Amino acid sequence: MPDKIIIVTGFGPFVGHEERNASWEAVNLLPDIFHFRKDAYQLQKYQIPVTYEEVDHIVPHIWNQNPDLVVHVGVHGKIRTINLEHCSYTSGYCKPDFAQRCLPCDKITLNGKHASDQECAMLKTNLNIERIAKELNLETKVECCCSTNVGNYLCGYIYLKSLDKNPDRALFIHVPKVNEPYTSEQTMATIYNVIGKCLEQLTAEQKLP
């Protein structure tokens, strides 16, 4: 079993996506082993229920495994591209989750690497998503875009939690609904390619063990 780990998450059903969530449909198709150069990575896949409580439970579990890369994937019903999210925000989380529960406060308290900066309004990934999108747009037929609008729901919430753990190794990808315009297989292939690009960057910057 490879000791190198990549973790990819997708979300379960929620309002407007009760029958299937395009994020999990794609993530679930990823292989269990990711080959990069001479290394084989164990690729763990998690389906996350769309609740704040589950995110609070799973994010520490994910990072306690010391993964080499964590990629969260969520569906966005109003896009027709694959969006690589640049950042997540620390406030604005007022919407009840799929269990109809709200957070006690819309301002998130950071307790990871940014715990000392409670005035922080935004956390950013250190991955160069502009380069990733540019390269994939040249190499594939799927359109990738960079975004700064991850939203103030569970997508933004899980991304913020992971960025607070390690902004070098965390990324969020928004995907469109299934077949609008991409099949689950096309979306999966794009996520796979993004993972490869992330590993290239982390290797070049000597951020991998």
Side-chain angles (χ1 to χ4, degrees), residues 84-88 122-127 129-130 146-149 159 163 171-172:
L84 310 183
E85 297 293 349
H86 184 61
C87 57
S88 189
M122 175 182 70
L123 298 182
K124 300 182 292 184
T125 182
N126 290 335
L127 291 161
I129 61 170
E130 288 83 4
C146 298
S147 168
T148 57
N149 187 24
Y159 197 20
L163 289 172
L171 180 64
F172 193 97

Side-chain angles (χ1 to χ4, degrees), residues 2-9 27 30-36 39-46 62 65-72 169 191-192 194-200 202 208:
D3 58 359
K4 296 176 179 293
I5 299 174
I6 298 166
I7 295 177
V8 186
T9 71
V27 168
L30 287 164
D32 296 327
I33 303 295
F34 190 98
H35 294 281
F36 176 73
D39 293 320
Y41 291 77
Q42 179 187 356
L43 199 156
Q44 298 182 13
K45 296 164 278 189
Y46 292 88
I62 286 173
Q65 299 178 67
N66 192 28
D68 296 281
L69 178 67
V70 174
V71 178
H72 300 298
R169 301 186 185 185
I191 296 168
Y192 185 95
V194 169
I195 291 170
K197 297 293 185 184
C198 291
L199 294 178
E200 286 179 6
L202 293 171
L208 291 178

Side-chain angles (χ1 to χ4, degrees), residues 11-21 23 50 74-77 95 97-98 153 155:
F11 281 108
F14 69 106
V15 175
H17 304 266
E18 291 88 353
E19 292 188 6
R20 61 178 179 177
N21 187 312
S23 66
V50 183
V75 64
H76 191 312
K95 187 177 178 181
D97 62 20
F98 196 46
Y153 193 43
C155 293

